[in-house]
Amino acid sequence: MLCQRRTRVVLALCLLLVLWQCFRAPTDGLGPFPWAPSLFDTPAARCGASTNSSAWFSARYNMSMEPLLTGAAHELSSDVVQWWLTLQGPSSGGQLQAIIQQLFTVLRAPTSGMWDTSRCRTCAVVGNSGWLKGSGHGLRIDAHDWVLSTYMRVKQFIKADRNKVLILSPAFLKYIHDNWTQRHGRYPSTGFTALLFALHLCQQVSVFGFGADSEGNWHHYWEKNRWSGAFRRTRVHDADVEFSIIERLAAEGRILFYK
């Protein structure tokens, strides 16, 4: 859409294999932006920045929480299995573990380099709200090491490099649901999940395309939704709670939030 890259890393959301496109981009030639902190000017400065931990953030952020399934032997706790199955319909935990084991006969487990916090990794999380349309943020998004695009229709068959497919853990989704949205909505939205994924793996997180548009409508940027409350009425996600958390993260300097 907005970005052109050489290398694409595909991340699969949950067990549905929703693709996230992650790729490197040069930062040369990009000057400071009037609405972004000056630490965004250079990669080294971005990762060298530090933020004070607030009680609000500390109560929600679990540093030890791993976002990804780590292999065929990965065991999910019974409470995670039960929560996940309530979202998927009638089944059994045994079947879920069997699916995970079968999955990793095809895909390889993530490498330890994925969790290397000593390296500087800058990430752009691109939402799909009406804010994104006409925003002109393409070059700014391209300036990040990873770009998560957060929406793609799930297909029965997806062509992808299996060595670049990673599976998000249901335990991570439950962690977001419990700690962050605090059980508002049935489960966290894809966009908010992508943001928390980036917050756990990236040293600098920039957020684009989240929230209602200038007319107060909550919709995807490719839609013409004249009903501002339609997204809220589904009750699947609590958009207002998620948006308030994003604003709080921005206010505390945990993310750069672009509108």
Side-chain angles (χ1 to χ4, degrees):
M1 182 181 64
L2 298 174
C3 317
Q4 295 179 350
R5 305 302 325 144
R6 293 181 180 178
T7 308
R8 295 184 178 180
V9 179
V10 179
L11 297 175
L13 261 184
C14 313
L15 302 176
L16 301 179
L17 297 182
V18 178
L19 299 184
W20 305 33
Q21 294 177 326
C22 306
F23 38 85
R24 296 191 58 82
T27 56
D28 296 342
L30 286 182
F33 313 127
W35 54 85
S38 59
L39 60 86
F40 195 75
D41 296 350
T42 64
R46 279 177 265 172
C47 287
S50 62
T51 55
N52 296 323
S53 179
S54 69
W56 176 87
F57 184 82
S58 297
R60 288 160 175 78
Y61 186 84
N62 182 356
M63 185 180 297
S64 64
M65 176 59 64
E66 294 185 354
L68 301 174
L69 291 178
T70 56
H74 191 114
E75 287 288 338
L76 298 173
S77 63
S78 59
D79 62 322
V80 169
V81 171
Q82 183 60 41
W83 178 79
W84 179 255
L85 293 179
T86 60
L87 302 178
Q88 306 304 316
S91 185
S92 69
Q95 288 177 319
L96 180 58
Q97 289 296 154
I99 291 172
I100 293 175
Q101 292 177 3
Q102 183 179 8
L103 193 62
F104 284 101
T105 64
V106 179
L107 305 176
R108 69 175 186 178
T111 62
S112 58
M114 175 65 64
W115 312 103
D116 184 6
T117 57
S118 64
R119 58 177 296 193
C120 173
R121 182 184 290 119
T122 60
C123 297
V125 181
V126 183
N128 48 43
S129 82
W131 270 116
L132 195 62
K133 190 173 184 179
S135 65
H137 288 318
L139 290 178
R140 299 182 185 103
I141 293 170
D142 273 352
H144 296 76
D145 299 320
W146 282 14
V147 176
L148 288 75
S149 300
T150 60
Y151 181 85
M152 179 176 287
R153 291 190 181 277
V154 178
K155 300 178 181 179
Q156 185 176 3
F157 299 100
I158 300 174
K159 294 185 66 175
D161 183 345
R162 65 181 181 180
N163 293 320
K164 297 178 181 179
V165 174
L166 303 172
I167 309 299
L168 201 67
S169 172
F172 187 67
L173 285 176
K174 189 176 187 299
Y175 152 73
I176 298 173
H177 185 64
D178 292 343
N179 286 30
W180 289 92
T181 61
Q182 298 184 335
R183 301 181 179 88
H184 289 276
R186 291 191 63 219
Y187 53 89
S189 68
T190 305
F192 192 71
T193 300
L195 192 157
L196 263 295
F197 177 87
L199 205 61
H200 275 260
L201 284 186
C202 308
Q203 284 65 49
Q204 176 66 50
V205 179
S206 302
V207 178
F208 304 82
F210 280 75
D213 65 15
S214 58
E215 297 179 355
N217 297 319
W218 289 80
H219 63 278
H220 301 132
Y221 63 84
W222 61 85
E223 297 172 338
K224 293 183 179 180
N225 182 359
R226 52 191 290 257
W227 305 108
S228 61
F231 184 70
R232 294 185 179 93
R233 282 197 293 269
T234 65
R235 298 185 180 179
V236 175
H237 314 303
D238 194 318
D240 295 315
V241 167
E242 292 186 358
F243 190 71
S244 68
I245 295 172
I246 293 171
E247 290 186 312
R248 181 69 180 266
L249 288 170
E252 294 196 1
R254 297 287 172 178
I255 63 173
L256 299 178
F257 187 26
Y258 292 84
K259 296 184 178 180

